[in-house]
Amino acid sequence: MHNKSVAELSRDLESGKVSSVELTREFLDRIKQEDGKYNSFITVTEEQALAEARAADEQRAAGNATIWTGVPFAHKDIFCTNGVRTTCGSKMLENFIPPYDATVTDNFRKAGAVSLGKTNMDEFAMGSSNESSHFGAVTNPWGLSKGEKRVPGGSSGGSAAAVAARLVPAATATDTGGSIRQPAALCGVTGLKPTYGRVSRYGMIAFASSLDQGGTMARTAEDNALMLNVMAGFDPKDSTSLDREVPDYTATLNEPLKGLRIGLPKEYFSDQLSPAMEEQIRSAVKEYEKLGATVKEVSLPNARLAIAAYYVIAPAEASANLSRFDGVRYGYRCEDPKDLMDLYTRTRAEGFGTEVKRRILVGTYALSAGYFDAYYLKAQKVRRLIQQDFINAFKDVDVLMSPTSPSPAFIQGEKTNDPVTMYLEDIFTIAVNLAGVPAMSVPAGFIDGLPVGLQIIGDYFSEARLLNAAHQFQQVTDWHQREPQ
């Protein structure tokens, strides 16, 4: 059962081939047996999962089932879960138990899905390798057969590793600068970042509020569509949520791709891209040509500025968002503070990890008097130019395609002492977040036995088109079905 997709498991539950309790037990047993190698979970909610599974079986027996009723999955540990520890990968929230559900969490509850627990992540979603978690690094399932411990990507590395290792059929994730697409690429699974505002951020612990977006992680494009059907929609509790009709994302999966116009940004296929990576991506694009798509070169002239702009805007917003963690209201508090200032300084010094502190310092500096106009304001102007590049590109093409990551998964510890090199891992993904457009990563081959991801970028609210393009690709390739040994 663990090798089946969400769609297949839903059909098995509907036919009575298996019960939700049996299915849930199988996945829980697999997590117990296997996750010691990966560390993809922070919290496993066994008792609650079995209770939800029993309730799901009763719902199906009463004829009140949805596609998701009784299907196991997991949440990235950034979504608040009522009564269940939510840590955001940090010592600061190590023992935080929310008194409410995030909207995404609530939506899956209402759909009858069974949550198996909370997946590991980079602390406060800050990282590209899932090595900054207070609960230990996550190991990519790919590479272990060679005795290598490789990163799964970040910050949603726990979700990606859990799906790749078949510990869960699907998991929620979030993407601020590539944190769904990059780990999906490195772990050989399919991940989607929707248009900014398409999925509610209520109850999703904030990193950079104008960039964060909840999304999906599963093995197939079809399963991503099933997830987005549950997650997408207007939420009055989120001021950035967009009041726009939500289509059935599975309705157009099987539409032919004849006439699809694909753009290849020349800035993403420069001399700096390795020949092996370019070969894999161009080979994937040729499959689309066989399916009837046309291909042309396009330009995103300001893409080269994306990383510089992002690493001003995101840390600036993080420094503001993380100021709430002061040891007064909730979360970690230092022992025996001498006074209020001692409480603040020691709580934050002890509660935050190195990468979070680095970004708070950078962000606070960028927002400080005398530097706001030079850094933050300038970065926002550059952001507008990047957004306009995408708007211009989509006048001529329907989707853009590029590598998701410049390289396959690297060895743990290889880049932890060089933050700039680590930041460059998101060179192909960050511009998408600055513009707010949707994008996804689809398995598209291997380099030296390690997965490679094809990034598909769409215009605003074109998630259905992206999922259609990904699904049709997965009908003629089997990269998404490959399993790590």
Side-chain angles (χ1 to χ4, degrees), residues 252-432:
T252 55
L253 288 177
N254 293 312
E255 288 189 358
L257 297 185
K258 186 173 178 58
L260 180 73
R261 299 172 301 166
I262 297 172
L264 302 182
K266 64 181 182 181
E267 292 79 8
Y268 290 169
F269 290 88
S270 68
D271 294 340
Q272 294 177 329
L273 183 64
S274 73
M277 180 65 74
E278 182 169 356
E279 180 183 352
Q280 291 296 323
I281 299 306
R282 290 198 183 275
S283 177
V285 172
K286 285 180 182 177
E287 292 294 335
Y288 278 98
E289 291 182 288
K290 294 177 186 176
L291 292 169
T294 60
V295 179
K296 65 177 292 187
E297 185 180 82
V298 298
S299 179
L300 301 173
N302 294 291
R304 61 187 176 83
L305 304 173
I307 286 185
Y310 176 88
Y311 279 103
V312 172
I313 294 169
E317 295 184 9
S319 73
N321 278 324
L322 271 61
S323 64
R324 70 194 65 172
F325 301 108
D326 54 13
V328 176
R329 288 156 290 192
Y330 55 86
Y332 176 78
R333 176 183 291 191
C334 69
E335 293 185 5
D336 302 321
K338 298 175 184 177
D339 52 33
L340 188 60
M341 186 56 68
D342 187 46
L343 170 67
Y344 288 160
T345 54
R346 283 206 292 125
T347 292
R348 291 169 67 80
E350 296 168 13
F352 289 137
T354 302
E355 182 60 30
V356 174
K357 291 174 185 175
R358 180 183 292 121
R359 298 200 193 194
I360 289 173
L361 288 169
V362 169
T364 303
Y365 179 83
L367 293 175
S368 61
Y371 295 102
F372 180 91
D373 288 352
Y375 292 106
Y376 185 74
L377 187 61
K378 179 70 75 176
Q380 290 288 20
K381 290 178 179 178
V382 170
R383 181 181 191 172
R384 183 66 184 86
L385 296 175
I386 291 169
Q387 181 186 39
Q388 191 62 48
D389 285 349
F390 282 101
I391 292 170
N392 293 340
F394 289 123
K395 291 176 182 176
D396 298 324
V397 297
D398 299 314
V399 298
L400 303 173
M401 291 187 181
S402 76
T404 305
S405 175
S407 62
F410 50 91
I411 300 290
Q412 287 179 357
E414 187 178 309
K415 301 182 180 181
T416 48
N417 294 323
D418 187 353
V420 174
T421 301
M422 184 76 81
Y423 295 164
L424 290 173
E425 287 299 306
D426 295 328
I427 192 168
F428 300 128
T429 56
I430 276 176
V432 166

Side-chain angles (χ1 to χ4, degrees), residues 26-75:
E26 177 169 336
F27 278 104
L28 287 170
D29 288 345
R30 187 165 173 79
I31 292 169
K32 286 180 185 177
Q33 294 165 8
E34 300 290 329
D35 197 42
K37 292 181 285 190
Y38 314 120
N39 194 34
S40 65
F41 277 83
I42 291 175
T43 302
V44 178
T45 53
E46 182 173 359
E47 289 185 13
Q48 179 175 306
L50 290 170
E52 290 176 357
R54 285 189 287 271
D57 285 335
E58 291 172 5
Q59 274 187 295
R60 284 200 177 272
N64 298 323
T66 73
I67 287 175
W68 276 95
T69 302
V71 177
F73 79 112
H75 277 301

